């Protein structure tokens, strides 16, 4: 016969847990012996382990009581359901682990593989890492807010990268990051970009160069991220506005 402390030790719980299970009516509380101690047999150990296992699996104690009173078939079916839920939780935790691993690696920060591939493509084309970072920071809220539209946007971006003029713009834009607001090279860049956007808009008619676009609130968030990462971009938008274009994430003709 076992004392409550010994029972708790065999069952892998604390004495306090055993008393709690007594109070909840999960584990029968034996009568005291002539010495005033409660004594437990092997059956109590088995029952305690069953309770602990179910509780550790996340089963509410009220449900534990039902399962302990269920017949073999009902208990087996309930255990199968619990196992299915645990497998789903494990898969979700594995996804969280994968996200944490991507967090450490930089570009893969909660970004879909196709976006990561796009960023790698920019690097392969010789685009400055600072510009790549602006792109990456914009994709993060975009992927979180509209994950179903990511393939559509990435396909559009890849299509644009087939245009040598746009690739040249990406390369030239990196030079703007080291320019002051009154640098003539920045003004020249704004001239070239405005001319490129106008040409693209006229070529595509009603289809805007940056379509499909995110909603205005999200576009504002993405603009702020871009300006924080590359401050000269803010002044560049002012220069573009003077040349008939407004916005950054979502460019529109004024």
């Amino acid at each position: 016969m076992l004392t409550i402390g010994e029972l708790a030790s065999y069952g892998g719980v604390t004495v306090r847990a055993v008393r709690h299970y007594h109070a909840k009516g999960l584990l029968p509380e034996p009568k005291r012996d002539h010495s005033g101690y409660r004594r437990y047999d092997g059956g109590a150990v088995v029952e305690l382990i069953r309770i602990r296992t179910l509780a550790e699996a996340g089963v509410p104690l009220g449900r534990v009581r039902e399962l302990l009173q269920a017949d073999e078939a009902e208990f087996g079916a309930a255990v199968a359901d619990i196992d299915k839920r645990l497998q789903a939780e494990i898969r979700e935790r594995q996804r969280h682990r994968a996200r944490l691993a991507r967090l450490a690696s930089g570009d893969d920060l909660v970004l879909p593989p196709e976006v990561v591939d796009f960023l790698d493509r920019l690097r392969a084309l010789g685009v400055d890492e600072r510009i790549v970072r602006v792109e990456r920071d914009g994709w993060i809220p975009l992927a979180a807010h509209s994950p179903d539209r990511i393939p559509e946007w990435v396909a559009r971006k890849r299509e644009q990268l087939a245009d040598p003029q746009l690739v040249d713009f990406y390369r030239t834009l990196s030079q703007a990051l080291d320019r002051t607001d009154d640098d003539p090279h920045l003004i020249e860049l704004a001239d070239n970009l405005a001319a490129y956007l106008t040409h693209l808009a006229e070529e595509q008619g009603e289809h805007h160069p940056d379509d499909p676009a995110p909603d205005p609130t999200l576009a504002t968030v993405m603009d702020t991220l871009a300006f924080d990462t590359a401050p000269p971009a803010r002044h560049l938008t002012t220069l573009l506005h003077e040349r008939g274009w407004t916005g950054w994430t979502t460019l529109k003709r004024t």
Side-chain angles (χ1 to χ4, degrees):
M1 302 297 286
L2 306 171
T3 63
I4 190 171
E6 291 170 332
L7 172 67
S9 178
Y10 279 115
V13 300
T14 63
V15 170
R16 182 178 180 180
V18 174
R19 289 178 174 145
H20 182 63
Y21 295 152
H22 284 329
K24 292 294 183 179
L26 298 175
L27 185 67
E29 189 172 10
K31 295 180 179 180
R32 298 181 183 276
D33 61 13
H34 63 280
S35 299
Y37 294 100
R38 301 189 188 281
R39 301 292 179 175
Y40 301 84
D41 58 15
V45 175
V46 173
E47 198 71 0
L48 178 58
I49 292 175
R50 283 160 58 92
I51 295 169
R52 187 203 71 196
T53 302
L54 291 169
E56 289 178 346
V59 179
L61 293 185
R63 176 65 171 151
V64 169
R65 183 185 299 108
E66 295 177 15
L67 294 178
L68 293 177
Q69 297 172 353
D71 59 31
E72 186 174 343
E74 292 174 334
F75 186 82
V79 168
D81 287 340
I82 294 169
D83 183 65
K84 184 177 180 180
R85 175 178 57 79
L86 289 175
Q87 289 182 32
E89 291 178 0
I90 290 171
R91 287 192 294 269
E92 181 64 20
R93 290 183 180 275
Q94 288 173 336
R95 285 193 289 270
H96 287 317
R97 290 189 63 200
R99 287 182 176 180
L100 284 173
R102 291 197 299 270
L103 176 63
S105 67
D107 282 351
D108 287 359
L109 171 64
V110 298
L111 287 177
E114 58 263 47
V115 175
V116 177
D117 290 343
F118 169 72
L119 297 177
D120 289 340
R121 176 59 178 159
L122 291 180
R123 292 189 180 92
L125 290 170
V127 176
D128 189 284
E129 185 62 32
R130 291 171 295 180
I131 302 302
V132 176
R133 191 161 60 248
V134 170
E135 285 279 344
R136 182 200 66 192
D137 290 350
W139 282 105
I140 292 171
L142 200 60
H145 183 270
S146 306
D148 56 321
R149 298 194 66 188
I150 290 300
E152 178 186 8
W153 277 314
V154 171
R156 180 65 170 165
K157 284 286 190 177
R158 286 188 174 277
E159 179 184 331
Q160 292 174 349
L161 284 183
D163 186 341
Q165 284 185 284
L166 181 63
V167 175
D168 287 341
F169 163 70
Y170 266 118
R171 291 171 178 158
T172 306
L173 183 59
S174 64
Q175 301 174 17
L177 301 183
D178 300 316
R179 308 288 182 182
T180 59
D181 288 353
D182 59 351
D183 193 307
H185 287 88
L186 190 61
I187 297 174
E188 181 182 355
L189 175 63
D191 288 337
N192 294 337
L193 178 56
Y196 169 75
L197 293 172
T198 300
H199 167 74
L200 193 62
E202 292 174 350
E203 186 180 71
Q204 297 185 357
E206 64 177 348
H207 298 293
H208 188 275
D210 277 344
D211 281 341
D215 67 64
T217 301
L218 184 57
T220 300
V221 171
M222 295 169 66
D223 286 354
T224 301
L225 285 170
F227 298 150
D228 289 345
T229 303
R234 187 183 297 275
H235 181 60
L236 185 57
T237 60
T238 301
L239 296 176
L240 284 175
H241 190 270
E242 295 171 357
R243 289 156 178 77
W245 289 91
T246 184
W248 179 263
T249 299
T250 303
L251 286 163
K252 295 180 180 180
R253 300 182 84 164
T254 58

